[in-house]
Amino acid sequence: MSDSDVVIVGGSVAGLQAALTLGRARRRVVLVDDGQPRNRPARHVHNFLGQLAPTPAELLASARSMLAPYDVTLVSDRVESIRPVVDGVPRFEVSARQGGHWSARSIVLATGLTDELPQVPGVSQWWGDQVVACPHCHGWEVRDQPLAQLGMRGLPARGVQRALLLSRWSNDVLLFTDGDELGGEGLARLAAAGVRVRTERVRSVERHADGLDLVLADGEAIARRAVFVVTRQHQQSDLAARLGCRLISAGPNAGAVDVDEVGRTSVPGVWAAGTTVNPALLAIGAAGQASTVATAIHAALLDEDIIEATGRVHS
Ligand SMILES: Cc1cc2nc3c(=O)[nH]c(=O)nc-3n(C[C@H](O)[C@H](O)[C@H](O)COP(=O)(O)OP(=O)(O)OC[C@H]3O[C@@H](n4cnc5c(N)ncnc54)[C@H](O)[C@@H]3O)c2cc1C
């Protein structure tokens, strides 16, 4: 088992940025990642300052290459357990599926999210291509074209909210509720924004040369350039819950790891970064938050070092 200051679980934008900041602070870091970033089906990453639409894989490869000068070990594997070792100050033993073991003074959970998609045939097939979720990420590329917002059955208010957002990118937005009925207030707000509504069930989403057809239950096919969907988000990993970290219980971030303003969880020595703590973060936001977490970890480790050194001087 090798010793490290910090084991980071998850090596997408948040985990890699935490590794960069900690590596530059001369911390010994192990980053373990099993290669499932949330945006992996997407063709390009947009809205990331300094990056001209790389693919998700290109962005991460370039971030990994920046870590070479530092004491950062990159491991391709899935962390299966993190065991706290009670010994005055927090210590952890981390084990991965293929047999790696590391001890660490601190843990960063940057394990991200997965998206549960609407159960409409075709949606998962074109997910990340012409079916996307976030207008801030992919709206500009299809601006001023006919767009669909597909709701998630059972979450009609989310569909309304997302369609209103999308109306800033095109004045031809159709909200498909997939069988959910909308209240008067939602309908009034949509009408004010120029969004039209179809409440029939959607049978499938099918590709054609210029975009996608949304095929309704009666066979009517409505052509759109792109389909934005409402998703339900789930944590990719249950490590935080198994460590006993408090999770957010209600509201839009329900299920996320509950942290203070610098990423400290309720379990001493365990920190969390990126969309694990805030599902709404764009990629650059996840990286930025992770760099704040990393600077706070460095300061906390320094405090531990000084307390230990002071104890040695006085003993
Ligand atoms: C289709 C799609 C397109 C998107 N496009 C954009 C865009 O254009 N611009 C933008 O700003 N944002 C975009 N986003 C949002 C963006 O994907 C997220 O903001 C970003 O991925 C968050 O990064 P993260 O590091 O928090 O988590 P993630 O990217 O989800 O990464 C988490 C990592 O942790 C790893 N992991 C999880 N559990 C373990 C474990 N136990 N052991 C080891 N590794 C583990 C996973 O394999 C993964 O690599 C898009 C999202 C989707 C779904």
Side-chain angles (χ1 to χ4, degrees):
M1 180 175 317
S2 64
D3 278 346
S4 62
D5 290 317
V6 185
V7 168
I8 300 172
V9 189
S12 177
V13 283
L16 288 167
Q17 179 63 54
L20 179 62
T21 303
L22 285 161
R24 290 176 58 79
R26 312 189 75 177
R27 292 293 176 188
R28 173 171 287 187
V29 177
V30 174
L31 181 149
V32 189
D33 179 61
D34 72 345
Q36 304 292 313
R38 180 180 168 206
N39 60 345
R40 63 192 177 284
R43 281 193 189 175
H44 300 284
V45 182
H46 299 292
N47 210 351
F48 198 111
L49 195 67
Q51 297 288 332
L52 282 174
T55 66
E58 284 167 351
L59 180 65
L60 297 184
S62 140
R64 281 193 295 269
S65 73
M66 289 178 67
L67 296 172
Y70 313 114
D71 191 354
V72 176
T73 305
L74 298 177
V75 180
S76 274
D77 205 344
R78 185 161 185 87
V79 170
E80 295 206 310
S81 81
I82 302 175
R83 196 172 71 83
V85 180
V86 182
D87 177 24
V89 288
R91 288 280 184 282
F92 301 90
E93 287 178 8
V94 180
S95 304
R97 187 172 285 167
Q98 291 169 40
H101 291 288
W102 305 272
S103 76
R105 299 169 66 189
S106 297
I107 299 291
V108 179
L109 298 172
T111 47
L113 303 171
T114 57
D115 290 277
E116 176 189 337
L117 300 172
Q119 292 287 310
V120 172
V123 164
S124 61
Q125 194 175 351
W126 307 117
W127 173 233
D129 187 354
Q130 282 152 316
V131 175
V132 288
C134 164
H136 289 287
C137 303
H138 306 289
W140 175 258
E141 285 63 37
V142 291
R143 65 195 182 280
D144 297 329
Q145 299 188 56
L147 303 178
Q149 174 66 57
L150 176 59
M152 168 81 83
R153 269 175 69 73
L155 297 176
R158 290 273 307 282
V160 171
Q161 180 229 333
R162 302 299 293 190
L164 289 172
L165 188 63
L166 192 56
S167 70
R168 293 297 303 157
W169 278 268
S170 169
N171 61 10
D172 182 3
V173 174
L174 263 175
L175 169 61
F176 294 82
T177 69
D178 194 23
D180 281 337
E181 293 299 329
L182 301 181
E185 192 192 340
L187 287 170
R189 285 162 61 82
L190 291 165
V195 175
R196 292 166 295 135
V197 181
R198 299 296 297 252
T199 55
E200 301 94 321
R201 293 297 302 267
V202 180
R203 195 166 76 192
S204 62
V205 171
E206 290 170 18
R207 192 167 192 164
H208 58 73
D210 298 319
L212 297 164
D213 278 339
L214 287 100
V215 183
L216 302 182
D218 65 0
E220 183 187 358
I222 301 169
R224 302 276 97 183
R225 179 68 184 78
V227 178
F228 287 73
V229 293
V230 169
T231 70
R232 280 196 182 91
Q233 289 140 9
H234 305 282
Q235 293 284 321
Q236 270 210 49
S237 158
D238 65 355
L239 287 170
R242 284 198 277 138
L243 277 162
C245 300
R246 192 171 51 241
L247 304 182
I248 296 174
S249 57
N253 291 357
V257 181
D258 198 0
V259 291
D260 70 6
E261 66 281 1
V262 292
R264 237 184 236 102
T265 73
S266 58
V267 174
V270 180
W271 307 67
T275 50
T276 305
V277 304
N278 181 355
L281 289 175
L282 300 185
I284 200 162
Q289 188 268 354
S291 117
T292 299
V293 176
T295 57
I297 293 173
H298 176 63
L301 291 176
L302 190 62
D303 279 349
E304 277 180 21
D305 293 341
I306 287 171
I307 290 168
E308 197 186 312
T310 312
R312 273 203 309 271
V313 168
H314 288 118
S315 62

